[in-house]
Amino acid sequence: MSRPSRRTAPGERIPLGKRIPGGQDGRRMLVVSFVDRVGSGLWGATAALYFTFAAGLSTAEIGLLLGASGAIGVAGPPLGGALADRVPLRPLLIAVQLVRAVASLALLSTTDLRLLLAIASLGSLGDRASAVLTKLYASRVAGPDRARYQAINRTAANSGWAIGGLIAAAALTGGSVAVYRWLLIGDAFSFVASALITLGCAEPPSATRVVASSDPRGQEEQDGRPGKTAPGAVRGTAHGPAPGAAPPNPWRDRGYLTFTATEAVLFLDDSVFKIGLPLWAATATNAPHELAPLLLVLNNVLVVLFQVPLARFGATPHTARATLRPLAGAFLLGGAALAASTAGAPWLAVGALVLAAIAFTAAEMLHATISWELSIALAPPSAQGAYLGVHGLAQAVQRSVGPLAVTAAIAAGPLGWLGFGAGLAAMCGAQRHLVRDRGDGALSVAPVTVSEH
């Protein structure tokens, strides 16, 4: 039986296990995220350089390698999520980490483009599957505090990525080809270390047990009378589907698929920072070119400082749905600031670009907590892994179409950025309409029908 929550008295010291949801296992998984991202920072900053100077590939071959392996990696989230509903989660996560380590080390063994493509595709599948499995593990060990845990996890991951990038930058001052190989080995070692840390974690409770234990009202009474639905226990019961019934299939759930499609659009803030801001600042404004990397640093620092405090905006499904309104405002402000950055003196351009970076960073943090909560709350507990795997496609699709959308906004000039911000704001409204408040302590997605004609 769950115990009633107790508020902390002013000045009372909170035990570490209470400050971080999930207890000891939750803390270990934060270390996993940090170590994983340190390795990703080492490799992400030097991948193109390694394939150029160590593997001897041309620019066109590198583009083909990264593009094709990324496209194949799109299958990682649904594959990992589907497996997580059928096998124990902890050993699956360990296996995926080891696959990533093997793929990284295997890149050192060949310079043949075809072999590199096969190896990179395997690593890409592991990377995308690992993200979904880590999210699923966190949702199970953190329970009702999953929004706060996810915020802490993003802070740890961003810190790891920044440290990995700084190490890579310092190492590259040596100018030796051997440095690229050692950075790749460091990336592989981070996956091995993550697997070893995960080995010390316990198998998390199943999704149905998490729902059942989060609130005693979510369980059926012992005498067979149905109980009330617990807040957050949506679109399913604590005991899964009826005996003999097939588990819910996310590929046949048009409402959840439509929700995932809206998510792919709202994740476009990622392409804004990777492509939009640097290109726009350098080609369309009077701001100094050295401002572009500083805007990325500003983004990283703001996420580390404010992601956890902003987690309260996604503490419950209802709060997450309501936060779509301020998210729309952040997107509008960011688009307007980029449009305004072309006018006036250099200092005005710098001010507008900084404001745009702050607005899109706020949008990134708000959407992260909204997306985390709604993607889980709208998934049936008996098929949570499969549903989260499908939701993982949103970011994968964004990585493919995001650069096209952002460069189209740049080509259209200031009006393009105004339309870009307005379009994202409109998508927030569409998602809020799609995600319905049922009025009984739960949310659902509106039914979506497809014409037969």
Side-chain angles (χ1 to χ4, degrees), residues 19-22 26 29-30 33 37 130-158 263 267 303-304 306-312 314-315 364-376 388 391 395:
R19 290 201 299 267
I20 299 179
M29 291 308 295
L30 291 178
S33 292
R37 291 301 178 179
S130 174
V132 170
L133 296 177
T134 302
K135 177 179 179 180
L136 187 59
Y137 190 101
S139 71
R140 293 181 180 179
V141 299
D145 293 327
R146 60 194 180 212
R148 183 168 179 269
Y149 183 89
Q150 170 66 354
I152 298 173
N153 185 66
R154 290 194 82 235
T155 300
N158 275 39
E263 286 284 272
F267 274 121
V303 170
V304 170
F306 296 108
Q307 184 68 74
V308 174
L310 289 176
R312 67 180 184 272
E364 174 190 343
M365 292 186 288
L366 290 175
H367 181 239
T369 192
I370 293 169
S371 176
W372 166 260
E373 180 61 25
L374 292 184
S375 64
I376 295 173
L388 290 183
H391 181 264
Q395 285 182 296

Side-chain angles (χ1 to χ4, degrees), residues 20-362:
I20 299 179
Q24 182 71 18
D25 289 334
R27 294 196 294 274
R28 284 175 176 163
M29 291 308 295
L30 291 178
V31 177
V32 168
S33 292
F34 176 80
V35 172
D36 185 325
R37 291 301 178 179
V38 169
S40 297
L42 293 175
W43 175 240
T46 57
L49 297 176
Y50 172 83
F51 290 126
T52 299
F53 298 110
L57 300 184
S58 67
T59 300
E61 289 174 329
I62 293 173
L64 173 63
L65 173 65
L66 297 180
S69 62
I72 293 172
V74 170
L79 179 61
L83 286 174
D85 286 332
R86 292 169 172 80
V87 301
L89 181 55
R90 184 185 67 112
L92 178 60
L93 185 53
I94 292 172
V96 169
Q97 295 285 17
L98 293 178
V99 166
R100 298 170 74 194
V102 170
S104 293
L105 290 176
L107 290 173
L108 295 167
S109 66
T110 183
T111 58
D112 182 82
L113 179 60
R114 290 169 295 180
L115 290 176
L116 286 173
L117 177 58
I119 295 167
S121 297
L122 179 64
S124 182
L125 282 169
D127 288 343
R128 305 288 175 83
S130 174
V132 170
L133 296 177
T134 302
K135 177 179 179 180
L136 187 59
Y137 190 101
S139 71
R140 293 181 180 179
V141 299
D145 293 327
R146 60 194 180 212
R148 183 168 179 269
Y149 183 89
Q150 170 66 354
I152 298 173
N153 185 66
R154 290 194 82 235
T155 300
N158 275 39
S159 300
W161 184 281
I163 290 174
L166 290 174
I167 294 173
L172 289 176
T173 58
S176 169
V177 173
V179 170
Y180 304 129
R181 297 190 176 94
W182 281 111
L183 290 174
L184 182 53
I185 292 172
D187 183 35
F189 178 77
S190 73
F191 300 142
V192 174
S194 296
L196 291 174
I197 298 170
T198 306
L199 190 63
C201 297
E203 176 68 21
S206 67
T208 53
R209 284 174 55 197
V210 170
V211 173
S213 62
S214 63
D215 190 315
R217 294 173 297 170
Q219 306 178 46
E220 292 184 357
E221 301 292 342
Q222 295 297 322
D223 61 3
R225 290 177 295 141
K228 295 181 180 180
T229 301
V234 295
R235 294 184 51 147
T237 69
H239 303 282
N249 186 343
W251 298 105
R252 296 180 179 177
D253 190 334
R254 292 169 178 167
Y256 197 88
L257 289 175
T258 305
F259 167 73
T260 299
T262 64
E263 286 284 272
V265 177
L266 297 183
F267 274 121
L268 283 174
D269 61 83
D270 180 66
S271 292
V272 170
F273 277 103
K274 289 181 177 178
I275 300 171
L277 268 172
L279 278 180
W280 182 255
T283 62
T285 76
N286 293 322
H289 289 184
E290 56 267 26
L291 178 66
L294 295 179
L295 294 177
L296 299 181
V297 172
L298 175 63
N299 166 259
N300 197 281
V301 170
L302 290 176
V303 170
V304 170
L305 291 177
F306 296 108
Q307 184 68 74
V308 174
L310 289 176
R312 67 180 184 272
F313 291 105
T316 68
H318 301 288
T319 305
R321 180 176 180 268
T323 305
L324 285 165
R325 284 178 172 170
L327 175 61
F331 280 133
L332 280 173
L333 177 60
L338 285 176
S341 64
T342 58
W347 67 270
L348 287 174
V350 169
L353 288 170
V354 170
L355 178 60
I358 293 173
F360 277 110
T361 300

